[in-house]
Amino acid sequence: AQGRPIQCPGFRNGSVAEAIRQTEGNLQCFAMAESTVDAHVFRALAQCPDLRGVILKQCTGTFPLGGRTWLIANGHDEDVADSTAGEAADETFVPSSDEEIAAMLRSCPKLEWLHIDISSSSCGSRGEVFGEESFKAIADGCCPNLKVLWVDSTTNSSTHLHCSIADPDTIRRALGPGSALASTLKVCMVNPDNATKTRYVLGGQPRTAATGMGPGRGEIAPDQLEGEVRRRGRDDDYHGLW
């Protein structure tokens, strides 16, 4: 879906948020993939205190104004003119933000499953919306029942690739030794690399032969929240490298 936002016949911005509101706060699970997710969706989810699971996979938090939109109708893909794409983005659209996600987390204390991968560009790009405020909310204990945490939110700098958008120390405070979630999370995936390996090991767990995470027993697994050093030449030509 990268570079090809999908628009279904009859869809309008606000439809998803309105559907959530129709549950009158009783929604317990919510999932979207390769879709546009705006701030209104998170505001509506924040009104669902019994929410148990949220999955937003390879989504985008912005609408492609002036871009090409693909209309799915009668089983065929049709290229919609730029003007039509512009009309689809009504004045109520508000881009997703870290603050909106954090507010939703603080309003949903029963959350057990959280998978968020939202880009500020096209669907299919690396996530870059779940940041400092969201991890602060988690560090403050807003979701004590969380069992699965899978978030992807990175950026590139002039010297490093895949740097965490949130302050690494905030992530370490939320998930490190002594944190509540360090002993309760069953799955923890933070900014996974191309091999789907987390860049932060939950609770700073030791590397042991038993875990298959490295050589020496008792060795503390270093995280990669600061990203990887950019290799001049190769990575300059291909900075989409995971």
Side-chain angles (χ1 to χ4, degrees):
Q2 187 170 359
R4 287 185 53 177
I6 300 300
Q7 176 185 331
C8 296
F11 177 83
R12 61 177 179 81
N13 289 327
S15 297
V16 175
E18 178 58 28
I20 295 171
R21 287 191 288 269
Q22 289 296 320
T23 69
E24 298 182 345
N26 295 311
L27 186 68
Q28 293 193 16
C29 296
F30 180 77
M32 295 181 72
E34 297 186 353
S35 306
T36 299
V37 180
D38 78 345
H40 294 295
V41 170
F42 291 108
R43 293 172 188 175
L45 290 174
Q47 302 303 312
C48 301
D50 290 330
L51 195 65
R52 301 296 205 280
V54 174
I55 301 176
L56 299 171
K57 178 62 177 174
Q58 290 186 333
C59 292
T60 178
T62 58
F63 194 89
L65 283 172
R68 309 298 291 187
T69 298
W70 294 79
L71 177 66
I72 304 301
N74 302 320
H76 301 289
D77 291 4
E78 290 181 37
D79 189 1
V80 180
D82 290 348
S83 58
T84 305
E87 290 172 5
D90 60 39
E91 295 181 354
T92 65
F93 187 89
V94 180
S96 295
S97 70
D98 182 29
E99 291 76 14
E100 296 287 356
I101 296 175
M104 182 269 291
L105 293 176
R106 293 185 185 277
S107 300
C108 301
K110 296 181 181 180
L111 204 61
E112 297 182 16
W113 184 297
L114 182 66
H115 183 159
I116 293 187
D117 173 5
I118 301 177
S119 170
S120 63
S121 54
S122 60
C123 296
S125 300
R126 296 307 300 268
E128 51 190 2
V129 177
F130 197 100
E132 181 73 5
E133 295 305 315
S134 298
F135 272 108
K136 279 183 179 178
I138 291 176
D140 291 344
C142 67
C143 300
N145 299 326
L146 206 58
K147 300 295 189 295
V148 174
L149 176 66
W150 188 311
V151 294
D152 186 3
S153 195
T154 61
T155 187
N156 297 331
S157 70
S158 60
T159 59
H160 286 71
L161 297 175
H162 317 128
C163 314
S164 170
I165 288 181
D167 185 331
D169 285 339
T170 302
I171 299 176
R172 293 168 186 138
R173 180 166 67 90
L175 305 174
S179 67
L181 291 182
S183 59
T184 59
L185 273 176
K186 304 301 183 185
V187 174
C188 179
M189 186 69 68
V190 178
N191 303 338
D193 62 16
N194 197 38
T196 319
K197 293 182 179 180
T198 183
R199 286 190 166 87
Y200 182 80
V201 177
L202 180 64
Q205 295 170 343
R207 291 173 179 259
T208 66
T211 62
M213 295 177 59
R217 186 174 294 275
E219 228 178 286
I220 299 301
D223 64 53
Q224 295 180 298
L225 296 176
E226 283 88 358
E228 298 86 46
V229 175
R230 185 188 290 271
R231 293 166 293 181
R232 294 297 178 186
R234 177 176 177 179
D235 288 342
D236 289 342
D237 293 335
Y238 181 39
H239 32 250
L241 182 68
W242 289 10

